[in-house]
Amino acid sequence: MEIKIVDHPLALARLTILRDERSDNSVFRAAAADLGTMLVYEAARDLPVTNFETTTPVGVAEGTRLENPPIIVPIIRAGLSMIEPALSMIPDAQVGFIGLARDEKTHQPVPYLEALPSDLTNQPVFIVDPMLATGGSLLNALQLLADRGATDITAVCMISAQPGVDALEHSGLPVRLVTTCIDPQLNEDAYIVPGLGDAGDRLYGPRNIDL
Ligand code: PRP
Ligand code: URA
């Protein structure tokens, strides 16, 4: 599996704000928006482009646009924080939605929403979620995308954990990973260590979904 680590100093500075337990909801959201923008920018680096002529006030220049913009697919809730950053970089992208919540006891993802095009054949996908921990949520989402024919999938995550990266690698699903860092381990509650805590709660407050 292809893994791109985005260790630009500005990305690492935003990651530090996310990790800091003193960052409140608004500080956390602002840092997440900045880091999400940087990660999507890097994830888009190798997308195919089309060239065309564009007329400037003084001549003709070669223009460039994405040949086939990716669809952005956030995993709700925490992935919602990466939609606007992604659209600021790729304004003509469409957006699909997957709602998953981890059961706090089993740590398994529980699906509650699926709003995607039925056919994703020949459609690049950027799946965005700040956290890759056990990998259960991302694997569940990837399977939904693969079932619709997606074969060109990029997972954009702020913090990944080694067990989740291993799970992705062993899944055989068609995915590459763009992330700021890979943390070594999970604790007994399947939280990433050192991680940043519960991304959804730090963005939006405690969740109250009846699983
Ligand atoms: C978080 C995160 C991922 C998932 C990662 O969501 O945003 O979707 O956990 O964990 P995993 O790799 O072990 O599956 P959570 O289920 O806490 O829901 P939330 O975003 O609604 O808070
Ligand atoms: N989900 C989170 O929000 N944080 C973790 O550390 C693991 C899963």
Side-chain angles (χ1 to χ4, degrees):
M1 180 175 69
E2 182 190 335
I3 300 176
K4 178 184 257 191
I5 304 287
V6 180
D7 55 1
H8 189 288
L10 298 180
L12 297 180
R14 296 316 190 283
L15 176 67
T16 304
I17 294 171
L18 295 177
R19 288 195 192 274
D20 191 332
E21 64 178 2
R22 296 169 302 175
S23 300
D24 65 15
N25 291 152
S26 67
V27 169
F28 189 94
R29 279 196 299 270
D34 287 347
L35 182 55
T37 305
M38 295 179 211
L39 290 175
V40 169
Y41 175 85
E42 282 300 332
R45 183 174 288 279
D46 298 322
L47 290 178
V49 296
T50 301
N51 295 117
F52 59 97
E53 282 191 352
T54 189
T55 306
T56 80
V58 288
V60 175
E62 186 179 61
T64 300
R65 63 171 161 251
L66 293 182
E67 193 177 288
N68 188 12
I71 183 170
I72 309 300
V73 179
I75 301 182
I76 303 170
R77 284 181 307 165
L80 293 175
S81 66
M82 298 173 75
I83 298 178
E84 287 307 324
L87 290 177
S88 73
M89 291 291 97
I90 312 174
D92 43 355
Q94 295 189 345
V95 183
F97 297 89
I98 295 175
L100 297 172
R102 285 200 322 178
D103 183 302
E104 282 171 17
K105 291 195 190 71
T106 65
H107 309 143
Q108 295 303 308
V110 179
Y112 61 86
L113 179 77
E114 201 181 305
L116 295 167
S118 54
D119 184 6
L120 291 171
T121 313
N122 299 323
Q123 172 61 65
V125 181
F126 279 10
I127 185 162
V128 295
D129 189 333
M131 308 304 276
L132 167 59
T134 65
S137 302
L138 192 50
L139 288 177
N140 190 300
L142 286 172
Q143 193 61 60
L144 291 177
L145 299 170
D147 290 346
R148 287 166 167 74
T151 54
D152 177 1
I153 308 174
T154 302
V156 184
C157 301
M158 296 183 187
I159 300 186
S160 304
Q162 192 62 55
V165 174
D166 294 343
L168 274 198
E169 239 157 359
H170 295 138
S171 72
L173 289 165
V175 63
R176 72 185 181 112
L177 175 65
V178 176
T179 189
T180 326
C181 65
I182 300 178
D183 281 3
Q185 63 202 41
L186 304 174
N187 67 14
E188 61 279 9
D189 296 320
Y191 278 94
I192 301 173
V193 180
L196 53 71
D198 188 306
D201 287 6
R202 296 199 62 193
L203 284 159
Y204 304 120
R207 105 165 111 84
N208 188 17
I209 299 172
D210 203 0
L211 299 174

